[in-house]
Amino acid sequence: MSTTSRRYAALAGITAAAVAIGIAEPVAVLTGPRSAPLVAVGGAIVDAVPESLKQLAIDLFGTADKIALLVGTAVLLGGFAALFGVLAVRRLALGLAGIGAFGAIGVAAALTRSGADLADALPSLVGAGLGALVLWLFIAGPFEMNPWSWSPPTPAAGPPSSGASVPPAAGGSVPPAAPASGSSSGPTAAVEPVAPADVDPESRRRFLTGSGVLLGTAVVAGLGGRWLAGRRGVSAARDAIRLPAPVAPAPAVPGGANLSLAQLAPYVTPNFGFYRIDTALVVPQVDPDTWRLRIHGRVGKERTYSYADLLARPLVERYVTLACVSNEVGGDLIGNARWLGVPLRELLDEVEPDDDADQVVGRSVDGWTCGTPTAALRDGRDALLAVGMNGEPLPVEHGFPVRMVVPGLYGYVSACKWVTELELTRFADFDAYWVPRGWSRQGPIKTQSRIDTPRRRNRLTAGPVTVAGVAWAQHRGISRVEVRVDDGQWQEATLAPTVSVDTWVQWSWRWDATPGEHRLQVRATDATGETQTERTQDVVPDGATGWHSVTVTVR
Ligand SMILES: Nc1nc2c(c(=O)[nH]1)N[C@H]1C(S)=C(S)[C@@H](COP(=O)(O)O)O[C@H]1N2
Ligand SMILES: [Mo]
């Protein structure tokens, strides 16, 4: 097979795959975005890949890891599709089998997502069916496009797929030697395609126009489907919500809590800049009108609450700093917001948990789970079933309509977004999502500190330089932050005021910088008197440790 024919064949395969995936998107508008094959397969990959790989993806792409995964999946798929096209020229059944296999993978992925029903198979089925049709059109159908099935003048060597569509007159241009180079692997094998010079220009034009039109259709259908799905989302319902005022408002942020330095994270993280971590490839769209929270399991009285039930209760508002266990030393997977919600303690009191129910499993609408110690939800800390974030209904990607927020615990064991179920159980009986994937059952936040300014590439001049950053030990509080330069004496930094022990605190230190390269280091001590350990530990299994350092050059 010539390189040129192989390229055409690959294009036919890619076009077929693009049609399959593109057309599946508008179908998924009916069956739900998670049933679209690309998202379903991507989601299955997210759940299946080893933790180390996932961490690598977060390291490489940060919070763009999902886009990277979708693009990666699409590129890989394109490669296979090209291969199927080439195979199809040799034997159509092989190409069709390839598309069928991928359709089956799409169906399997869509059906094994939690909460899936049979209809979720539809986008992959329709897509694979149309993809197969396109491949057939190009390779052997009425739209059959040369060059590969070019019919040599001698009928004996004619491939079975070359039909009446080959213009007989053009046959005269085929050099008589061409059939001699043909494969002899049986009646279904295509003859070795002729050189590009022998391609019927009419046929080639038709081929390129056809694949161009189909590729365009696939892109329009794909993007159109996504757009439609977005319009069917819950942003309109969210916009219509007016949250009641809290009966217990958050304490005012004390003046000076925010040092307002250019590179320093603001004391309150705006919603648009708040880090986002979750396993959801498409953001769950949960209608607040039909949303329910069921609290059940090892309880005396199982209860179910609606969104209106929650809003009718006395709401409290609290600043709580959320942190991700995957945050590296010096990393930015941490943010502080003002959360409005119902104290979880009150809801748990109403269901009367059994004494041995030491774990509360929060379950999201997409099946993700976290396991929180029941004690942490009942010991008086401000653990909330949150409906508001910084004065707005929860942003959709931060868990709309309702999520959990628990001061002092990493998000993976406590901060269930799109929560729809709380199950009282025991740690001995159930492992939540990340536990079998190598993470610790218990996830108390470790004392940490970060230098936000100066940064490595800043141009510094000798003289006074403000070194500043944040430190956190949620629910214990920070009592001291120290900085040192080039392994010198630890110097005590000034702590800015803070709202409560549940949030981070800004700190600053005046450095009399001298010319040369210097290493700045920071460490914090929590209110129990324990100083952050120097020992470095990776984020797995229960959070990174070590001192953050920044090396700068002063002129
Ligand atoms: N439904 C759901 N909730 C989730 C997660 C998830 O994957 N799915 N990830 C958790 C993790 S690991 C963290 S750190 C926080 C992050 O919350 P944010 O995205 O609002 O910052 O959400 C938690 N809640
Ligand atoms: Mo996390």
Side-chain angles (χ1 to χ4, degrees):
M1 193 173 179
S2 76
T3 312
T4 312
S5 340
R6 210 173 283 135
R7 281 197 196 121
Y8 281 105
L11 180 59
I14 287 172
T15 305
V19 166
I21 286 172
I23 295 294
E25 290 285 341
V27 178
V29 172
L30 306 173
T31 55
R34 293 196 314 141
S35 61
L38 207 54
V39 171
V41 172
I45 294 175
V46 166
D47 289 351
V49 297
E51 188 40 42
S52 51
L53 247 176
K54 215 173 297 182
Q55 191 60 43
L56 182 73
I58 292 181
D59 291 349
L60 286 177
F61 305 111
T63 40
D65 57 341
K66 293 186 180 64
I67 301 188
L69 173 73
L70 288 181
V71 169
T73 309
V75 167
L76 200 73
L77 220 108
F80 275 107
L83 181 74
F84 296 157
V86 173
L87 285 178
V89 171
R90 300 211 173 276
R91 196 189 269 263
L92 181 60
L94 280 181
L96 295 182
I99 291 194
F102 272 60
I105 292 174
V107 168
L111 289 185
T112 50
R113 307 299 295 156
S114 76
D117 54 41
L118 268 182
D120 289 334
L122 211 60
S124 291
L125 285 179
V126 171
L130 287 178
L133 179 70
V134 167
L135 196 61
W136 172 75
L137 278 178
F138 279 168
I139 305 290
F143 237 38
E144 179 192 11
M145 302 196 191
N146 288 321
W148 45 78
S149 60
W150 191 258
S151 195
T154 41
S161 61
S162 73
S165 64
V166 177
S173 67
V174 177
S181 67
S183 93
S184 54
S185 55
T188 50
V191 292
E192 204 51 29
V194 293
D198 300 312
V199 172
D200 166 30
E202 172 62 22
S203 159
R204 178 169 50 199
R205 196 186 56 75
R206 207 176 38 180
F207 177 92
L208 290 175
T209 312
S211 59
V213 167
L214 285 171
L215 275 175
T217 309
V219 169
V220 169
L223 295 180
R226 278 287 162 101
W227 176 79
L228 262 178
R231 272 176 39 114
R232 291 184 44 141
V234 290
S235 55
R238 178 180 176 273
D239 291 347
I241 288 170
R242 296 285 164 271
L243 292 176
V247 295
V253 176
N258 219 349
L259 299 175
S260 301
L261 300 173
Q263 296 176 318
L264 174 62
Y267 179 72
V268 179
T269 315
N271 288 356
F272 68 83
F274 207 95
Y275 81 97
R276 175 187 164 202
I277 292 288
D278 53 63
T279 59
L281 280 181
V282 289
V283 182
Q285 306 286 319
V286 183
D287 180 353
D289 286 338
T290 55
W291 175 88
R292 293 290 181 275
L293 175 76
R294 189 163 78 99
I295 312 185
H296 65 110
R298 295 178 174 265
V299 297
K301 293 184 194 156
E302 172 176 331
R303 286 202 55 174
T304 299
Y305 300 85
S306 70
Y307 191 65
D309 290 340
L310 295 187
L311 295 198
R313 302 175 66 105
L315 300 180
V316 307
E317 198 168 35
R318 295 289 181 258
Y319 286 95
V320 176
T321 299
L322 224 64
C324 183
V325 69
S326 295
N327 198 27
E328 311 268 354
V329 172
D332 57 5
L333 299 180
I334 177 166
N336 184 38
R338 196 173 86 238
W339 307 97
L340 174 75
V342 177
L344 272 159
R345 180 165 44 116
E346 295 175 6
L347 298 175
L348 290 180
D349 285 350
E350 290 174 11
V351 299
E352 298 169 10
D354 296 353
D355 288 340
D356 62 352
D358 60 358
Q359 174 176 237
V360 175
V361 172
R363 191 167 279 115
S364 158
V365 294
D366 63 0
W368 185 86
T369 51
C370 62
T372 314
T374 310
L377 303 179
R378 307 187 84 187
D379 67 3
R381 76 181 79 189
D382 289 314
L384 296 180
L385 195 61
V387 293
M389 180 178 184
N390 289 328
E392 294 174 20
L394 286 180
V396 181
E397 60 276 20
H398 291 293
F400 180 81
V402 182
R403 76 173 303 168
M404 292 170 64
V405 171
V406 183
L409 302 182
Y410 286 122
Y412 84 106
V413 293
S414 69
C416 190
K417 304 193 275 188
W418 314 289
V419 65
T420 186
E421 236 182 82
L422 296 180
E423 183 182 356
L424 276 290
T425 176
R426 300 186 305 188
F427 279 103
D429 293 340
F430 183 80
D431 283 337
Y433 186 90
W434 285 112
V435 174
R437 293 168 171 86
W439 297 80
S440 166
R441 284 191 184 83
Q442 302 290 333
I445 295 177
K446 295 177 178 175
T447 303
Q448 267 295 345
S449 50
R450 188 179 78 192
I451 300 170
D452 281 8
T453 182
R455 304 208 175 190
R456 196 153 58 88
R457 282 185 227 294
N458 289 165
R459 293 160 184 269
L460 299 180
T461 44
V465 167
T466 300
V467 181
V470 283
W472 60 91
Q474 288 91 318
H475 207 55
R476 297 184 298 281
I478 292 289
S479 63
R480 187 166 68 240
V481 170
E482 296 159 291
V483 184
R484 71 175 180 183
V485 184
D486 302 329
D487 299 319
Q489 282 287 308
W490 285 104
Q491 315 273 332
E492 193 156 344
T494 305
L495 294 184
T498 178
V499 166
S500 77
V501 293
D502 292 339
T503 78
W504 60 10
V505 50
Q506 297 189 348
W507 57 265
S508 67
W509 180 70
R510 223 358 211 234
W511 176 33
D512 198 12
T514 55
E517 194 178 89
H518 298 288
R519 185 170 72 134
L520 300 165
Q521 272 182 302
V522 65
R523 70 176 187 190
T525 300
D526 72 13
T528 72
E530 194 165 330
T531 298
Q532 177 187 340
T533 175
E534 176 179 17
R535 197 170 48 83
T536 61
Q537 190 202 289
D538 189 29
V539 295
V540 187
D542 60 358
T545 62
W547 293 335
H548 186 212
S549 72
V550 172
T551 301
V552 293
T553 307
V554 180
R555 277 170 236 284

